[in-house]
Amino acid sequence: MEFPEDFLYTEEHEWVLVEDDIVTVGITDFAQDALGDIVFVELPEVGYQVEAGKTFGVVESVKAVSDIYSPVTGEVLEVNDELPDTPELVNTSPYEGAWMLKIKLDDPAELDLLMDADAYQSFVEEEE
Amino acid sequence: MKITPLNQQHKQLGARMVPFGGWEMPVQYSGVIEEHLAVRSAAGLFDVSHMGEIEVKGADALAYIQQLTINDASVLVDGQIQYSAFCYPDGGVVDDVTLYRFSADHFMFCVNASNIDKDFAWMQKVLADTELTKVLLTDRSPEFAQLALQGPKAQRILAQLTSADIDQLIYYHFKQADVALVPTIISRTGYTGEDGFELYFAADKAQRLWTRLLEAGAGEKLIPIGLGARDTLRLEKKYALYGHELSESITPLEAGLGWITKLDKPFFVGQAALKAMQAQGVPRRLVAIRMNDKGIAREGYPVFVDGVEVGTVTSGTLSPVLKVGIALALVKASAAAVGTELEVGIRQRRVPAEIIKPPFI
């Protein structure tokens, strides 16, 4: 299972890629593996205000619905329009094809609360 | 948590294990969709050893079963199986079951795993309320393992391991014969809508039979199937699952099981209440719903017609074959006609859907 070194991670298994004050968000390899075949993804629209720790959408496997939590607070600048039609990208390409949102970061200090790849790796091992 | 004799085999195969009705069971091996499609196109092997087996023996066995169950067991011949149910006096369902007739004084019920203890206690109570004396009830669940071999290739695979003429075995009939030298009840039944068999045999032979079946089926693309695909397979065929489409607060008439509810039998527990419901009009009906837009209806979601709530989803999933959301829902009888356009409340949205004539595929 892969956890890219240059990403940050949440305890709810989202990943965050930071580029200046814009962050890209998705769910991790661990999350997609645990959920199984992803068949539905629901995301907010551009302009929506996400809040750190609050849900912004859902992913559904054949069996179950799971909330996705925003790692940061800010405005949604871009949404991955391909995901609703190709939700299986979450399984096949969790860190690239299945990016979910690009968010304009309100407060960079929120990033200090996230885990780096090593910390997330340890967190996942404890969960298993 | 209880485990089946194949618990280690599932873990070695990389199954994701989950709690189900007090049992640790495999929910998936390679993936729900892949497993589902394998059963529809080739074959799948399910460990269903968690299911219960309750034996009824004695000279009064049939008379007792006629009072206990809603279907008419008197029509069964030796070697035949019947889908049936136990009801409470108010018409709510204790459990849905299959009934096996070995002989006039020897029957067996296959019951849902999570209901074994409840069913056995209920059966004893119903027996105590009768005048019948020659009935012996035995819960034999721990002695049995059960495997389901399902799919269009099932017969070809099983035939490699038994000399029994299974091509002569018709749907809802069984015979007793060796499979891979293991004495087995071979039952032509299943919960997938495909051809196939359910095999009952001694629990300590489970690993042998599991392994031999997977070996025999390797050339026919047989793979192990978890509870996830078991659920999607039964949903595509509108088969009820206890705790969802059937419960103590849902009657068999509401759940679309009027065809097994023999109201004209002399007597069975729940008969009076069900007759009254039939006479007054069945208030709710179980319907099959296909989503007409993106979205998956799930258990508990509300169903609307013209903005008015008319019922609730009892089970829902994405159909791996149709690639659209499908669901079963219990709705007011006035809103249950095939073709009715409705909406399912999915989070903040109302998603259009339609009642279709089951099965889905």
Side-chain angles (χ1 to χ4, degrees):
Chain A
M1 207 164 285
E2 271 186 70
F3 307 120
E5 283 295 330
D6 46 343
F7 286 23
L8 299 172
Y9 300 89
T10 72
E11 293 189 354
E12 287 81 28
H13 308 287
E14 290 86 16
W15 56 259
V16 175
L17 176 63
V18 184
E19 288 161 300
D20 300 323
D21 61 345
I22 296 173
V23 303
T24 308
V25 174
I27 69 169
T28 67
D29 199 13
F30 176 86
Q32 69 79 18
D33 184 65
L35 293 168
D37 297 326
I38 299 299
V39 295
F40 185 79
V41 178
E42 190 173 281
L43 299 174
E45 295 183 348
V46 169
Y48 182 84
Q49 287 288 325
V50 295
E51 205 177 320
K54 298 282 172 64
T55 68
F56 68 72
V58 299
V59 287
E60 299 194 31
S61 66
V62 180
K63 289 235 24 122
V65 183
S66 303
D67 288 318
I68 323 167
Y69 296 87
S70 182
V72 297
T73 303
E75 184 187 341
V76 175
L77 299 178
E78 236 183 290
V79 177
N80 186 344
D81 293 331
E82 283 182 45
L83 276 187
D85 291 323
T86 50
E88 62 274 16
L89 279 174
V90 178
N91 296 117
T92 57
S93 180
Y95 299 118
E96 290 176 25
W99 68 272
M100 292 176 175
L101 306 179
K102 291 187 191 296
I103 301 167
K104 174 93 162 56
L105 187 59
D106 279 3
D107 179 6
E110 282 180 346
L111 300 175
D112 298 340
L113 302 171
L114 304 178
M115 291 177 273
D116 65 15
D118 286 346
Y120 181 64
Q121 175 91 44
S122 310
F123 176 74
V124 161
E125 280 162 12
E126 274 172 41
E127 282 223 326
E128 273 181 324
Chain B
M1 187 122 53
K2 289 182 270 193
I3 61 170
T4 77
L6 296 167
N7 189 271
Q8 283 307 314
Q9 275 71 13
H10 301 319
K11 289 176 176 170
Q12 282 161 14
L13 285 164
R16 186 178 310 288
M17 306 298 287
V18 296
F20 177 82
W23 294 75
E24 186 182 63
M25 297 298 291
V27 67
Q28 67 164 63
Y29 302 83
S30 51
V32 175
I33 294 176
E34 182 183 333
E35 292 167 32
H36 180 111
L37 298 177
V39 174
R40 291 271 180 257
S41 65
L45 186 63
F46 305 67
D47 176 15
V48 284
S49 300
H50 58 317
M51 300 291 283
E53 294 84 13
I54 300 176
E55 190 178 75
V56 185
K57 280 187 161 177
D60 290 331
L62 179 59
Y64 162 69
I65 288 167
Q66 284 292 70
Q67 298 191 31
L68 173 72
T69 64
I70 67 174
N71 207 339
D72 182 2
S74 72
V75 303
L76 285 175
V77 299
D78 295 352
Q80 195 177 3
I81 305 160
Q82 183 178 67
Y83 183 51
S84 193
F86 312 154
C87 279
Y88 293 107
D90 69 359
V93 178
V94 180
D95 201 4
D96 66 323
V97 299
T98 46
L99 171 63
Y100 289 68
R101 174 173 158 141
F102 291 81
S103 65
D105 59 0
H106 180 191
F107 294 81
M108 184 181 85
F109 286 108
C110 177
V111 308
N112 282 300
S114 53
N115 289 339
I116 296 171
D117 294 341
K118 179 185 79 172
D119 289 351
F120 192 58
W122 178 252
M123 291 172 70
Q124 290 172 310
K125 177 178 159 32
V126 170
L127 179 59
D129 290 346
T130 70
E131 304 291 308
L132 302 170
T133 54
K134 294 178 184 124
V135 178
L136 181 65
L137 303 180
T138 313
D139 176 9
R140 297 192 56 193
S141 305
E143 299 166 44
F144 277 107
Q146 191 190 146
L147 298 178
L149 177 65
Q150 300 279 300
K153 300 291 175 60
Q155 180 177 314
R156 197 184 292 188
I157 294 164
L158 187 61
Q160 296 174 42
L161 299 179
T162 183
S163 56
D165 51 348
I166 53 173
D167 57 321
Q168 301 297 314
L169 187 60
I170 55 178
Y171 192 51
Y172 265 74
H173 287 71
F174 69 96
K175 61 174 56 187
Q176 293 170 277
D178 283 1
V179 176
L181 304 180
V182 176
T184 300
I185 300 167
I186 305 173
S187 169
R188 195 143 207 165
T189 48
Y191 195 43
T192 62
E194 298 299 328
D195 185 23
F197 302 88
E198 291 172 309
L199 308 173
Y200 301 78
F201 51 89
D204 63 358
K205 300 294 192 292
Q207 293 171 18
R208 173 185 173 83
L209 219 49
W210 173 262
T211 305
R212 294 297 308 276
L213 281 164
L214 284 177
E215 286 168 2
E220 305 286 355
K221 298 188 173 161
L222 173 70
I223 59 171
I225 312 293
L227 293 182
R230 185 167 161 85
D231 194 48
T232 54
L233 287 160
R234 68 96 189 170
L235 263 173
E236 285 184 339
K237 297 296 180 181
K238 201 196 172 223
Y239 295 161
L241 174 61
Y242 192 86
H244 300 261
E245 286 72 41
L246 294 169
S247 74
E248 58 187 39
S249 58
I250 304 171
T251 71
L253 299 178
E254 293 171 311
L257 297 186
W259 62 281
I260 64 165
T261 310
K262 301 296 158 66
L263 295 174
D264 294 335
K265 272 206 301 187
F267 168 80
F268 63 89
V269 180
Q271 183 183 36
L274 293 172
K275 272 187 170 172
M277 177 177 273
Q278 185 79 297
Q280 289 158 17
V282 179
R284 301 178 297 179
R285 294 283 186 185
L286 186 71
V287 295
I289 291 175
R290 188 187 61 222
M291 304 306 294
N292 282 338
D293 201 349
K294 277 207 169 62
I296 302 171
R298 303 283 185 179
E299 181 177 7
Y301 289 5
V303 176
F304 305 89
V305 172
D306 297 332
V308 179
E309 188 168 338
V310 295
T312 309
V313 173
T314 54
S315 295
T317 188
L318 179 101
S319 161
V321 170
L322 301 175
K323 307 285 182 201
V324 298
I326 61 170
L328 304 182
L330 204 54
V331 302
K332 284 182 184 164
S334 58
V338 169
T340 301
E341 304 212 340
L342 40 77
E343 291 179 320
V344 178
I346 302 180
R347 294 177 287 279
Q348 273 61 263
R349 297 184 300 142
R350 300 264 176 101
V351 180
E354 183 181 344
I355 297 178
I356 63 112
K357 185 177 189 305
F360 291 100
I361 65 160

